[in-house]
Amino acid sequence: MTIQFNEETFRDDYSFYNSDWAIKRFPFPFHEDSYMYSVNMEQHRGGPKGSVYEMRFDVDEHYVSEMRDRAMVLADDPLRCQSLPHMTLAGWDLLELIMVSKSEDYPDLFELHRDGNQWRWINKPLGIDDTFTFMDETTLPYGPMEYITRQAQGDFCVLDQRDEMLWMDAGMVTTQADWSLDFDIGMNFFEWHAPVPLAHEMGIFKRALKFLLNIQQGAPARRLNWTMTVNPLLDTSPENYHKWGIQKTTLTPENIGSKQHLRVELQSFFRLPRSNALVFPIRCYLCSFQDLMTVPKWGRRLHRVVRDLPVELATYKGFIDNRPMMLDYLEQFDDGLPTSRGVFPDLETEPPLTKA
Amino acid sequence: MSAAPQKAKPGAEQLAVRVSAVVPLNDLVTRFEFQRTDGQPFPTFSGGAHTVVTMQDDGRTRLNPYSLMSDPADTSTYAISVRRDDQGRGGSLFMHTRVKQGDEMTITYPVNLFSLDLRARKHLFFAGGIGITPFMSMIHQLEQSNGNWELHYSVRTEALGTYVDELKYKFPTKVHVYYDDQSQSIPLETLLDGQPLGTNAYVCGPKGMIDWVHATASAAGWPDAQVHSEEFLAPAPGKPFEVRLCKSDKTIQVGENESLLEAIERAGVEAPFLCRGGACGQCETDVVSYDGEFIHRDHWLEPEQQAGEKIMPCVSRFVGKSLELDR
């Protein structure tokens, strides 16, 4: 399949949009009509054809525009990409993982030709054709992690594993849900999760850490996380909160359908072979409420989830003030009918909205 | 999350291999080299990683972990070195007496529970006997990145000095060998004194040696996080005992020469595992009730957990009237 890449922006005029194809494959995160934390991990070994779960690193219609947005963020703030000195080997591991995966999964878009340590990488969507020496940083325009993550959608945290603990020792973070790599760099797993409410008391992080420490080569895992974002902003960072935080006050009953977006992170976890580090790609997908409402099952379910979410979570996710307006909007799309299990749209089997 | 969640399988991913070489190194140690049967390259790995080898021994499945000692960057061949243990439960004897060049076997993807701290300014290795194996791959890895390392290797005799000649030939200034039968021993206190700031120490060998290095380093003021060790426990034989598995509603007998984990698997009950050597924590199992005494041999559980709360079935056993597990 050849992807038509959108010409769009994630800032200023917000021309971002999802095609019908992108809406139907949106990773809707709620498998039932309510939501509570769980470690909710599963193996990352493909998924239904055409879904965002199918490939190791999903490439979609937003690829070229997202990479352009990343370059702009980095130009303004180079500290969004950092790698402590001992993480260079992990950077090469990541470069290899992404190049091999993309060239195998999308041979029409990416090519990798290897002759010993002489590698040629062709990225057709971005117009890149580079030859370099694997493991020789001087032959690339950036360090290996920065080089490849300027060409891969989603944020990347590269975690060192030492003393039965994970450490945030490298990353490329420009599309984050209000956290800062520059603040978290060098922190351990419990330190960087300290701001999350309820989950510590529930023992979630202890269990999650144990799971992650045991992720092995050849057996990657994945999970979903979600939040809410007003306007299709990729860069909702603390560094730029003064720019985007205020936009949460611009919601009105008239514009909420197009301005309010559900933001979903497809998080995956791969053990890196040479460094024994763990890479944690966090891929952000955005979908406006009005686009989500074209899927009757999602309309019914989103209303119920947002309505019943504990106050702590709605506060932490930053939409407690807008929740009443969201519910007024979403309520129109919930006719009280039951919903099918699982996250997929089930357009053929789920009844259309029966409410005027 | 998805329509059909995939349940995690016990153990690491498997690789089908053919034994490409069997190389006796001395009276006790033999090297086994593997190539993939599908002709694909092996995954690269990190120094210190191990693989779990599946042995089909007359209808009985044995799964033993061995450190990968080949060059981690060599994707054509994996190698392990196995020391024959005449008193053991038979895994190493099977490898020595039954495995021939050309045999097909199954091994797992590399798993690393003993990795290099890549922040270290210097890596100080202490090996005892067959404990040399993880350092072989670590040395390969560090040599490729101009890493600063030094090996102190204690062996019984010159004849049993596995890889001594090769190591001394390649790295004459970095490798120091000590022979027990010549009353030589590693001058540990001296070596731990005066290392550059940021040095990490690693030890692999018999339990006594590991404890000695940890205790000496600790007494000399080394931070615990800078002293790393790996001790693979082979499950020790022991008296047979009976176990009730309440989730699966089965009562099983654990034989003298099998581990509790092996007995659980033999009964067709799926149990998680990874290292099968008491180190990784994957097979941790809740104790429901017991009347008797545990023989805990793992490095994983806290003492209070060992007091009747949990057991690591890969290496630990039980003696007494009854034991009921949540499995």
Side-chain angles (χ1 to χ4, degrees):
Chain A
M1 181 203 59
T2 302
I3 302 169
Q4 292 294 318
F5 296 106
N6 296 355
E7 185 59 44
E8 60 190 357
T9 57
F10 302 87
R11 53 179 73 205
D12 306 324
D13 62 345
Y14 299 114
S15 61
F16 164 87
Y17 66 97
N18 282 308
S19 67
D20 285 346
W21 172 73
I23 295 169
K24 288 192 183 66
R25 73 195 296 275
F26 182 75
F28 189 75
F30 308 113
H31 66 275
E32 56 187 10
D33 287 354
S34 62
Y35 172 80
M36 195 46 194
Y37 290 131
S38 64
V39 179
N40 67 329
M41 293 281 187
E42 65 177 22
Q43 294 182 68
H44 185 38
R45 313 225 176 151
K49 197 165 164 43
S51 74
V52 302
Y53 310 107
E54 183 183 8
M55 305 302 189
R56 286 165 280 189
F57 297 93
D58 183 48
V59 175
D60 68 8
E61 64 192 25
H62 308 297
Y63 177 57
V64 174
S65 298
E66 282 190 29
M67 293 301 96
R68 198 179 297 147
D69 196 72
R70 164 157 294 164
M72 286 191 263
V73 173
L74 288 169
D76 288 345
D77 184 358
L79 293 177
R80 300 302 189 84
C81 179
Q82 299 190 40
S83 177
L84 297 182
H86 61 285
M87 298 303 283
T88 304
L89 184 61
W92 285 111
D93 274 332
L94 180 61
L95 175 140
E96 180 183 40
L97 175 67
I98 294 177
M99 286 187 178
V100 169
S101 301
K102 285 195 167 181
S103 59
E104 288 175 358
D105 293 347
Y106 300 93
D108 54 331
L109 301 178
F110 305 96
E111 290 175 27
L112 177 63
H113 304 280
R114 289 185 280 187
D115 178 11
N117 283 337
Q118 286 305 112
W119 292 23
R120 182 179 174 203
W121 167 246
I122 301 172
N123 178 335
K124 292 180 191 168
L126 296 183
I128 291 169
D129 184 343
D130 283 338
T131 299
F132 62 95
T133 306
F134 187 70
M135 300 282 259
D136 181 354
E137 280 182 272
T138 62
T139 60
L140 284 175
Y142 307 100
M145 179 192 72
E146 179 169 0
Y147 177 78
I148 197 59
T149 56
R150 280 175 175 267
Q151 303 178 45
Q153 288 167 278
D155 288 340
F156 290 82
C157 303
V158 188
L159 314 176
D160 198 15
Q161 182 159 333
R162 307 187 301 269
D163 316 323
E164 293 291 309
M165 181 50 76
L166 294 168
W167 305 83
M168 182 78 73
D169 285 351
M172 165 68 90
V173 180
T174 68
T175 66
Q176 68 270 51
D178 205 5
W179 69 279
S180 164
L181 175 72
D182 190 39
F183 185 74
D184 287 358
I185 191 94
M187 284 190 187
N188 75 33
F189 187 80
F190 295 128
E191 290 166 346
W192 84 69
H193 281 119
V196 183
L198 299 178
H200 292 274
E201 293 81 346
M202 291 166 64
I204 293 272
F205 289 120
K206 274 192 181 162
R207 270 184 287 148
L209 175 64
K210 207 167 169 177
F211 181 90
L212 295 175
L213 290 171
N214 272 307
I215 285 187
Q216 301 303 337
Q217 268 181 263
R222 67 181 174 220
R223 69 183 287 263
L224 294 178
N225 197 7
W226 65 278
T227 189
M228 294 286 183
T229 303
V230 174
N231 290 327
L233 275 156
L234 285 177
D235 175 26
T236 51
S237 58
E239 286 89 342
N240 280 333
Y241 188 80
H242 59 289
K243 294 180 191 162
W244 61 267
I246 190 79
Q247 296 179 21
K248 291 196 274 185
T249 65
T250 63
L251 273 193
T252 66
E254 291 71 38
N255 67 21
I256 187 168
S258 58
K259 260 185 179 302
Q260 181 65 56
H261 289 70
L262 178 59
R263 181 189 195 97
V264 175
E265 292 174 354
L266 172 56
Q267 307 180 341
S268 51
F269 306 88
F270 297 80
R271 176 67 56 195
L272 296 175
R274 294 174 177 80
S275 57
N276 202 39
L278 194 72
V279 66
F280 173 27
I282 308 167
R283 171 66 183 279
C284 169
Y285 294 85
L286 294 162
C287 190
S288 69
F289 272 20
Q290 67 188 19
D291 285 348
L292 287 168
M293 295 306 113
T294 62
V295 177
K297 170 178 165 181
W298 292 352
R300 295 180 179 106
R301 183 166 291 169
L302 187 60
H303 172 247
R304 297 167 198 178
V305 169
V306 172
R307 180 189 65 199
D308 300 338
L309 197 73
V311 171
E312 294 94 327
L313 265 71
T315 306
Y316 172 64
K317 290 178 185 290
F319 65 89
I320 188 75
D321 290 345
N322 284 335
R323 176 149 75 170
M325 201 194 300
M326 286 182 185
L327 290 174
D328 284 346
Y329 175 83
L330 294 171
E331 193 265 332
Q332 308 168 68
F333 301 92
D334 185 1
D335 51 17
L337 290 182
T339 53
S340 60
R341 281 188 56 79
V343 295
F344 293 105
D346 299 332
L347 284 167
E348 278 77 46
T349 48
E350 287 293 277
L353 185 69
T354 57
K355 206 166 166 176
Chain B
M1 165 203 319
S2 66
Q6 307 132 306
K7 195 169 162 241
K9 284 181 291 187
E13 284 296 294
Q14 306 276 330
L15 294 161
V17 296
R18 184 174 294 114
V19 179
S20 54
V22 178
V23 184
L25 299 168
N26 53 46
D27 280 353
L28 290 178
V29 180
T30 297
R31 181 171 72 234
F32 298 87
E33 297 179 3
F34 303 113
Q35 290 178 352
R36 284 180 72 156
T37 50
D38 62 7
Q40 294 292 307
F42 278 113
T44 51
F45 62 94
S46 48
H50 71 267
T51 181
V52 175
V53 178
T54 303
M55 304 168 209
Q56 298 301 342
D57 184 1
D58 292 333
R60 181 165 164 194
T61 304
R62 299 177 184 277
L63 296 158
N64 280 19
Y66 296 103
S67 294
L68 287 164
M69 42 81 53
S70 41
D71 179 352
D74 177 1
T75 57
S76 67
T77 307
Y78 276 0
I80 60 172
S81 293
V82 179
R83 181 186 187 279
R84 195 182 76 233
D85 181 357
D86 296 322
Q87 265 70 57
R89 299 171 325 122
S92 68
L93 279 174
F94 177 87
M95 290 299 293
H96 275 254
T97 58
R98 304 278 295 277
V99 174
K100 303 280 179 282
Q101 188 179 345
D103 285 1
E104 295 201 348
M105 300 186 82
T106 306
I107 67 174
T108 66
Y109 264 68
V111 171
N112 202 338
L113 303 174
F114 188 44
S115 57
L116 292 166
D117 187 333
L118 295 174
R119 299 171 307 166
R121 305 290 169 86
K122 179 178 174 184
H123 305 272
L124 186 61
F125 298 146
F126 297 106
I130 194 63
I132 189 64
T133 50
F135 297 123
M136 299 296 284
S137 61
M138 288 180 174
I139 288 168
H140 279 296
Q141 178 174 341
L142 289 173
E143 280 297 301
Q144 277 153 16
S145 54
N146 295 316
N148 183 8
W149 63 273
E150 189 177 296
L151 170 70
H152 296 269
Y153 181 17
S154 171
V155 299
R156 276 204 252 160
T157 64
E158 278 189 36
L160 289 174
T162 312
Y163 298 115
V164 161
D165 293 344
E166 177 187 329
L167 286 165
K168 282 175 77 172
Y169 175 75
K170 280 193 193 160
F171 313 108
T173 60
K174 293 177 168 180
V175 171
H176 308 265
V177 181
Y178 308 85
Y179 299 98
D180 288 353
D181 68 341
Q182 297 171 32
S183 301
Q184 297 173 346
S185 60
I186 296 174
L188 185 60
E189 284 183 32
T190 315
L191 289 169
L192 290 173
D193 193 16
Q195 291 293 339
L197 201 65
T199 301
N200 274 237
Y202 306 77
V203 53
C204 185
K207 182 170 171 27
M209 180 180 185
I210 292 172
D211 293 346
W212 175 55
V213 171
H214 276 294
T216 312
S218 180
W222 280 59
D224 289 344
Q226 280 172 237
V227 185
H228 315 273
S229 58
E230 178 163 66
E231 183 196 3
F232 270 134
L233 302 162
K239 288 207 178 89
F241 60 102
E242 188 177 276
V243 185
R244 173 90 192 136
L245 305 176
C246 51
K247 260 195 210 146
S248 30
D249 192 21
K250 281 183 179 168
T251 301
I252 61 166
Q253 308 295 326
V254 183
E256 182 182 344
N257 280 310
E258 70 181 342
S259 69
L260 172 54
L261 178 60
E262 287 166 342
I264 292 172
E265 290 168 343
R266 187 166 49 77
V269 175
E270 205 168 74
F273 69 87
L274 198 59
C275 78
R276 305 181 83 89
C280 76
Q282 278 292 291
C283 68
E284 182 181 297
T285 305
D286 288 334
V287 174
V288 178
S289 69
Y290 70 102
D291 179 3
E293 276 186 36
F294 292 97
I295 305 169
H296 289 293
R297 299 185 62 250
D298 62 277
H299 297 306
W300 177 256
L301 297 174
E302 302 295 330
E304 58 272 20
Q305 294 178 307
Q306 290 186 335
E309 195 186 314
K310 288 175 188 294
I311 186 169
M312 307 304 292
C314 62
V315 291
S316 298
R317 303 181 72 89
F318 178 79
V319 179
K321 276 188 191 158
S322 66
L323 171 63
E324 198 176 2
L325 298 178
D326 185 35
R327 181 66 72 201

